[in-house]
Amino acid sequence: MANNRSNVDGMFQQTLKKSVTIAGVGLHSGVIVTLTISPADANSGITFLRTDLRGAAAVIPARWDTVVDTRLCTVIGNDHGTTVGTIEHLMSALAGCGIDNAVVSLDGIEVPIMDGSAAPFVAAIEQAGIAVQKSPRRFIRILKPVAIGDGVKSASFTPDDATSYSFEIDFDSAAISRQARALEIDPDSFKDEISRARTFGFLHEVEGLRKMGLARGGSLDNAVVISGDTVMNAEGLRFKDEFVRHKILDAVGDLYLAGAPIVGHFHGVRSGHALNNHLLRALFADRSAWRYETAVSLPVARRGLEQLAVA
């Protein structure tokens, strides 16, 4: 995905040029869901809209403080009890493509799993096209370290001049074992290095979830499934370290619930949806740990440059 040079260095907010619709099975419900991503006004953020409901009950802002469940996926909800689950891969694609404002309409309780990665959502966004808006983009700059964890799992932010991620995982299965990866996130690196990495799970866990009435839509078509030390998918892996890449993909989506791109470094060790959300809550609870910065265009004579003005 080539960077849009009319929006040098991401100075301005972006939305879609037109609506785009995709459909697929829900990972846990097993029900076919139709989802439409539509353009939205500047400064409106990402909003989910349940088309099977009406009025305020149908609307859920995609924010860290609307997260209501993180046990198997990231679920957001509103005061009316309406929820939308499995949003992390779509949120990751919106973040990776630099989409600030969009309305996500769907006729079910969860975002379709597609192939288990963010790539189908990236393709849909590319099909719709990206529109640059007139309002400057707002960033969240990390000013000091913020960390949470229990000695086994951890997640942290530290100051950085870029949006960067690193992650470590360690599983007993030889199919995964210990993996680590670090990279800066921009539209190109996200698409090439992260977006195609699929969600994964162990066969015995899938069987247990199905007995609980969950993972009804899960299959080898939308997840990497491991049995013991063996990857069961006939086509194998898309990357040698696909597992840790997917953990970064999840983190990018979970952390985009901050409401703006984060300028700083995220480091996760065996972190998951719950810890990612707890890290955002810890960040916003400490007003000295972050600040908003807005990209402001300089005069036309210096077009292509930018300065960061503290909001």
Side-chain angles (χ1 to χ4, degrees), residues 264-293:
H265 180 73
F266 168 83
H267 181 63
V269 178
R270 301 177 178 177
S271 180
H273 303 303
L275 211 56
N276 294 341
N277 185 251
H278 290 159
L279 179 62
L280 285 181
R281 292 176 185 270
L283 174 70
F284 288 114
D286 184 353
R287 195 59 183 83
S288 67
W290 61 279
R291 71 176 177 227
Y292 285 119
E293 293 183 347

Short mmCIF file of all heavy atoms in Angstrom, two decimals, residues 264-293:
data_model
loop_
_atom_site.label_atom_id
_atom_site.label_comp_id
_atom_site.label_asym_id
_atom_site.label_seq_id
_atom_site.Cartn_x
_atom_site.Cartn_y
_atom_site.Cartn_z
N GLY A 264 4.79 6.23 20.30
CA GLY A 264 5.49 5.62 21.42
C GLY A 264 5.74 4.17 21.10
O GLY A 264 5.36 3.67 20.03
N HIS A 265 6.39 3.48 22.02
CA HIS A 265 6.72 2.08 21.81
C HIS A 265 5.89 1.19 22.72
O HIS A 265 5.81 1.43 23.93
CB HIS A 265 8.20 1.83 22.08
CG HIS A 265 8.60 0.40 21.88
ND1 HIS A 265 8.70 -0.17 20.63
CD2 HIS A 265 8.89 -0.59 22.76
CE1 HIS A 265 9.05 -1.44 20.75
NE2 HIS A 265 9.15 -1.73 22.03
N PHE A 266 5.26 0.18 22.13
CA PHE A 266 4.55 -0.84 22.89
C PHE A 266 5.39 -2.10 22.94
O PHE A 266 5.90 -2.55 21.91
CB PHE A 266 3.20 -1.16 22.25
CG PHE A 266 2.55 -2.41 22.82
CD1 PHE A 266 1.81 -2.33 24.00
CD2 PHE A 266 2.69 -3.63 22.20
CE1 PHE A 266 1.22 -3.47 24.54
CE2 PHE A 266 2.10 -4.78 22.73
CZ PHE A 266 1.37 -4.69 23.91
N HIS A 267 5.51 -2.68 24.13
CA HIS A 267 6.20 -3.96 24.27
C HIS A 267 5.29 -4.92 25.02
O HIS A 267 4.80 -4.62 26.11
CB HIS A 267 7.52 -3.81 25.03
CG HIS A 267 8.26 -5.11 25.17
ND1 HIS A 267 8.74 -5.81 24.09
CD2 HIS A 267 8.60 -5.83 26.27
CE1 HIS A 267 9.35 -6.91 24.51
NE2 HIS A 267 9.27 -6.95 25.83
N GLY A 268 5.04 -6.07 24.42
CA GLY A 268 4.19 -7.07 25.04
C GLY A 268 4.94 -8.37 25.26
O GLY A 268 5.71 -8.81 24.39
N VAL A 269 4.75 -8.96 26.41
CA VAL A 269 5.29 -10.28 26.70
C VAL A 269 4.10 -11.17 27.08
O VAL A 269 3.49 -10.98 28.13
CB VAL A 269 6.31 -10.26 27.85
CG1 VAL A 269 6.82 -11.67 28.15
CG2 VAL A 269 7.48 -9.34 27.51
N ARG A 270 3.73 -12.07 26.18
CA ARG A 270 2.58 -12.95 26.39
C ARG A 270 1.30 -12.16 26.67
O ARG A 270 0.37 -12.66 27.31
CB ARG A 270 2.84 -13.93 27.53
CG ARG A 270 4.04 -14.83 27.32
CD ARG A 270 4.26 -15.73 28.52
NE ARG A 270 5.39 -16.64 28.33
CZ ARG A 270 5.82 -17.48 29.26
NH1 ARG A 270 5.23 -17.51 30.46
NH2 ARG A 270 6.84 -18.28 29.02
N SER A 271 1.24 -10.96 26.23
CA SER A 271 0.08 -10.11 26.46
C SER A 271 -1.07 -10.54 25.56
O SER A 271 -0.87 -11.11 24.48
CB SER A 271 0.43 -8.65 26.19
OG SER A 271 -0.67 -7.80 26.40
N GLY A 272 -2.29 -10.27 26.01
CA GLY A 272 -3.49 -10.56 25.24
C GLY A 272 -4.46 -9.40 25.31
O GLY A 272 -4.10 -8.30 25.75
N HIS A 273 -5.70 -9.64 24.88
CA HIS A 273 -6.68 -8.56 24.82
C HIS A 273 -6.90 -7.89 26.17
O HIS A 273 -7.00 -6.67 26.26
CB HIS A 273 -8.00 -9.10 24.28
CG HIS A 273 -7.89 -9.74 22.93
ND1 HIS A 273 -7.39 -9.09 21.83
CD2 HIS A 273 -8.21 -11.00 22.51
CE1 HIS A 273 -7.41 -9.90 20.79
NE2 HIS A 273 -7.90 -11.06 21.18
N ALA A 274 -6.97 -8.66 27.23
CA ALA A 274 -7.23 -8.10 28.55
C ALA A 274 -6.10 -7.17 28.98
O ALA A 274 -6.34 -6.03 29.41
CB ALA A 274 -7.42 -9.21 29.58
N LEU A 275 -4.87 -7.63 28.87
CA LEU A 275 -3.74 -6.82 29.31
C LEU A 275 -3.58 -5.59 28.42
O LEU A 275 -3.21 -4.50 28.91
CB LEU A 275 -2.46 -7.66 29.30
CG LEU A 275 -1.40 -7.30 30.35
CD1 LEU A 275 -1.97 -7.35 31.76
CD2 LEU A 275 -0.20 -8.25 30.23
N ASN A 276 -3.84 -5.73 27.12
CA ASN A 276 -3.76 -4.57 26.23
C ASN A 276 -4.73 -3.48 26.66
O ASN A 276 -4.39 -2.29 26.69
CB ASN A 276 -4.07 -4.99 24.79
CG ASN A 276 -3.05 -5.95 24.20
OD1 ASN A 276 -1.92 -6.04 24.69
ND2 ASN A 276 -3.42 -6.66 23.16
N ASN A 277 -5.95 -3.88 27.02
CA ASN A 277 -6.93 -2.89 27.46
C ASN A 277 -6.58 -2.31 28.82
O ASN A 277 -6.73 -1.10 29.06
CB ASN A 277 -8.33 -3.48 27.49
CG ASN A 277 -9.40 -2.45 27.83
OD1 ASN A 277 -9.98 -2.47 28.91
ND2 ASN A 277 -9.65 -1.53 26.91
N HIS A 278 -6.07 -3.15 29.72
CA HIS A 278 -5.65 -2.65 31.03
C HIS A 278 -4.51 -1.64 30.90
O HIS A 278 -4.43 -0.69 31.68
CB HIS A 278 -5.23 -3.81 31.92
CG HIS A 278 -6.36 -4.68 32.36
ND1 HIS A 278 -6.20 -5.97 32.79
CD2 HIS A 278 -7.70 -4.44 32.41
CE1 HIS A 278 -7.37 -6.50 33.09
NE2 HIS A 278 -8.30 -5.58 32.88
N LEU A 279 -3.64 -1.84 29.91
CA LEU A 279 -2.55 -0.89 29.70
C LEU A 279 -3.11 0.46 29.27
O LEU A 279 -2.65 1.51 29.75
CB LEU A 279 -1.58 -1.42 28.64
CG LEU A 279 -0.40 -0.51 28.30
CD1 LEU A 279 0.48 -0.27 29.53
CD2 LEU A 279 0.43 -1.09 27.16
N LEU A 280 -4.10 0.47 28.38
CA LEU A 280 -4.71 1.74 28.00
C LEU A 280 -5.38 2.42 29.19
O LEU A 280 -5.27 3.64 29.36
CB LEU A 280 -5.75 1.52 26.89
CG LEU A 280 -5.22 1.24 25.49
CD1 LEU A 280 -6.39 1.08 24.52
CD2 LEU A 280 -4.30 2.36 25.01
N ARG A 281 -6.04 1.65 30.03
CA ARG A 281 -6.68 2.23 31.20
C ARG A 281 -5.65 2.81 32.16
O ARG A 281 -5.86 3.89 32.75
CB ARG A 281 -7.55 1.18 31.89
CG ARG A 281 -8.77 0.78 31.07
CD ARG A 281 -9.60 -0.33 31.68
NE ARG A 281 -10.68 -0.74 30.81
CZ ARG A 281 -11.90 -0.21 30.79
NH1 ARG A 281 -12.20 0.75 31.66
NH2 ARG A 281 -12.82 -0.63 29.95
N ALA A 282 -4.51 2.14 32.31
CA ALA A 282 -3.43 2.66 33.16
C ALA A 282 -2.84 3.93 32.56
O ALA A 282 -2.52 4.88 33.29
CB ALA A 282 -2.35 1.60 33.34
N LEU A 283 -2.69 3.96 31.25
CA LEU A 283 -2.16 5.14 30.58
C LEU A 283 -3.05 6.35 30.82
O LEU A 283 -2.58 7.42 31.25
CB LEU A 283 -2.01 4.87 29.08
CG LEU A 283 -1.59 6.08 28.24
CD1 LEU A 283 -0.14 6.45 28.52
CD2 LEU A 283 -1.79 5.78 26.74
N PHE A 284 -4.34 6.20 30.54
CA PHE A 284 -5.23 7.35 30.64
C PHE A 284 -5.54 7.74 32.08
O PHE A 284 -6.00 8.85 32.34
CB PHE A 284 -6.52 7.08 29.86
CG PHE A 284 -6.32 7.11 28.36
CD1 PHE A 284 -6.47 5.97 27.60
CD2 PHE A 284 -5.95 8.28 27.73
CE1 PHE A 284 -6.27 5.99 26.23
CE2 PHE A 284 -5.74 8.33 26.35
CZ PHE A 284 -5.90 7.18 25.61
N ALA A 285 -5.23 6.85 33.02
CA ALA A 285 -5.40 7.19 34.43
C ALA A 285 -4.27 8.09 34.94
O ALA A 285 -4.40 8.71 35.99
CB ALA A 285 -5.44 5.92 35.28
N ASP A 286 -3.17 8.17 34.18
CA ASP A 286 -2.00 8.98 34.57
C ASP A 286 -1.84 10.10 33.54
O ASP A 286 -1.21 9.92 32.51
CB ASP A 286 -0.76 8.12 34.63
CG ASP A 286 0.47 8.88 35.14
OD1 ASP A 286 0.37 10.13 35.31
OD2 ASP A 286 1.51 8.25 35.34
N ARG A 287 -2.40 11.25 33.83
CA ARG A 287 -2.40 12.36 32.87
C ARG A 287 -1.00 12.88 32.58
O ARG A 287 -0.79 13.54 31.56
CB ARG A 287 -3.29 13.50 33.39
CG ARG A 287 -3.66 14.53 32.33
CD ARG A 287 -4.41 13.89 31.17
NE ARG A 287 -4.70 14.83 30.11
CZ ARG A 287 -3.85 15.19 29.14
NH1 ARG A 287 -2.64 14.68 29.11
NH2 ARG A 287 -4.22 16.05 28.21
N SER A 288 -0.04 12.56 33.44
CA SER A 288 1.33 13.01 33.20
C SER A 288 2.09 12.07 32.25
O SER A 288 3.22 12.37 31.87
CB SER A 288 2.09 13.10 34.52
OG SER A 288 2.30 11.82 35.09
N ALA A 289 1.47 10.96 31.86
CA ALA A 289 2.16 9.97 31.04
C ALA A 289 1.95 10.18 29.55
O ALA A 289 2.61 9.52 28.74
CB ALA A 289 1.70 8.57 31.43
N TRP A 290 1.08 11.11 29.17
CA TRP A 290 0.77 11.28 27.75
C TRP A 290 0.23 12.69 27.49
O TRP A 290 -0.12 13.41 28.42
CB TRP A 290 -0.30 10.27 27.31
CG TRP A 290 -1.59 10.41 28.08
CD1 TRP A 290 -1.88 9.93 29.33
CD2 TRP A 290 -2.76 11.13 27.65
NE1 TRP A 290 -3.15 10.29 29.71
CE2 TRP A 290 -3.72 11.02 28.70
CE3 TRP A 290 -3.10 11.83 26.49
CZ2 TRP A 290 -4.98 11.61 28.61
CZ3 TRP A 290 -4.36 12.41 26.40
CH2 TRP A 290 -5.29 12.29 27.45
N ARG A 291 0.21 13.06 26.24
CA ARG A 291 -0.44 14.31 25.84
C ARG A 291 -0.90 14.17 24.39
O ARG A 291 -0.38 13.35 23.62
CB ARG A 291 0.51 15.50 25.97
CG ARG A 291 1.62 15.54 24.93
CD ARG A 291 2.48 16.81 25.05
NE ARG A 291 3.59 16.79 24.11
CZ ARG A 291 4.84 17.09 24.42
NH1 ARG A 291 5.16 17.40 25.66
NH2 ARG A 291 5.78 17.07 23.49
N TYR A 292 -1.89 14.96 24.03
CA TYR A 292 -2.33 15.04 22.65
C TYR A 292 -1.42 15.98 21.88
O TYR A 292 -1.02 17.03 22.38
CB TYR A 292 -3.77 15.55 22.56
CG TYR A 292 -4.82 14.54 22.94
CD1 TYR A 292 -5.68 14.78 24.01
CD2 TYR A 292 -4.97 13.36 22.23
CE1 TYR A 292 -6.66 13.87 24.36
CE2 TYR A 292 -5.95 12.44 22.58
CZ TYR A 292 -6.79 12.69 23.64
OH TYR A 292 -7.75 11.79 23.99
N GLU A 293 -1.09 15.58 20.66
CA GLU A 293 -0.37 16.45 19.74
C GLU A 293 -1.10 16.44 18.41
O GLU A 293 -1.60 15.40 17.98
CB GLU A 293 1.08 15.99 19.56
CG GLU A 293 1.91 16.13 20.83
CD GLU A 293 3.37 15.73 20.62
OE1 GLU A 293 3.65 15.11 19.56
OE2 GLU A 293 4.19 16.02 21.49
#
